[in-house]
Amino acid sequence: MDTADTDIEPVLGIYLYTQHKGQDWPERLRQALITGPARLRWEDPQYLARILIDQLFSDLRDEEAGGVSTKLGDNDHPITIVDLTAARVHWAKAGDEQHRDRWTGSLGFAEFVTRGRAEYPTL
């Protein structure tokens, strides 16, 4: 397995979980944010959350592909944090995602999508 979690609402703790290809999760997020529908909704958190969920799970359709939860799932990578309100992407060690002072690698959406292939930072 290669599991990963993305926290799309750090205040409430809404996690997107993938069971496979967790190493690709940052790039999948970058690709999701680049799409026309997502770009149009960068400043509209409610719509953007739905668009990101749809894009991130677009090819993960079997029952073991992943899910949405209010709890952190199994995880083999840093937590990718998508702060929808601030329109920023951050990372944290598992368990530190609820502590803003422990986030690292903060990038605005525009910078995140234009930097080339997205990968996990070394924490």
Side-chain angles (χ1 to χ4, degrees):
M1 277 192 277
D2 183 22
T3 59
D5 286 271
T6 296
D7 186 353
I8 65 165
E9 183 44 64
V11 174
L12 299 175
I14 299 171
Y15 297 91
L16 306 182
Y17 170 78
T18 183
Q19 184 74 24
H20 306 287
K21 298 183 181 179
Q23 77 276 1
D24 296 334
W25 214 231
E27 179 59 15
R28 291 178 68 93
L29 173 62
R30 189 180 81 81
Q31 291 297 323
L33 284 167
I34 285 174
T35 66
R39 274 188 185 261
L40 293 173
R41 297 295 187 166
W42 281 2
E43 295 180 13
D44 192 341
Q46 292 172 322
Y47 279 94
L48 183 57
R50 197 251 331 137
I51 293 165
L52 292 179
I53 290 169
D54 181 61
Q55 293 291 319
L56 288 167
F57 290 121
S58 65
D59 66 340
L60 303 174
R61 298 293 184 200
D62 67 53
E63 74 279 0
E64 294 184 7
V68 180
S69 178
T70 58
K71 297 179 184 175
L72 182 62
D74 294 339
N75 197 60
D76 297 322
H77 299 281
I79 305 300
T80 304
I81 301 163
V82 182
D83 188 338
L84 297 171
T85 305
R88 300 190 73 76
V89 177
H90 318 267
W91 285 271
K93 293 180 181 178
D96 286 348
E97 69 277 2
Q98 296 296 319
H99 305 281
R100 289 180 185 267
D101 61 321
R102 298 179 188 165
W103 295 358
T104 188
S106 178
L107 298 170
F109 289 167
E111 184 178 3
F112 180 70
V113 301
T114 59
R115 291 183 64 143
R117 181 169 175 78
E119 297 182 355
Y120 290 105
T122 303
L123 301 181

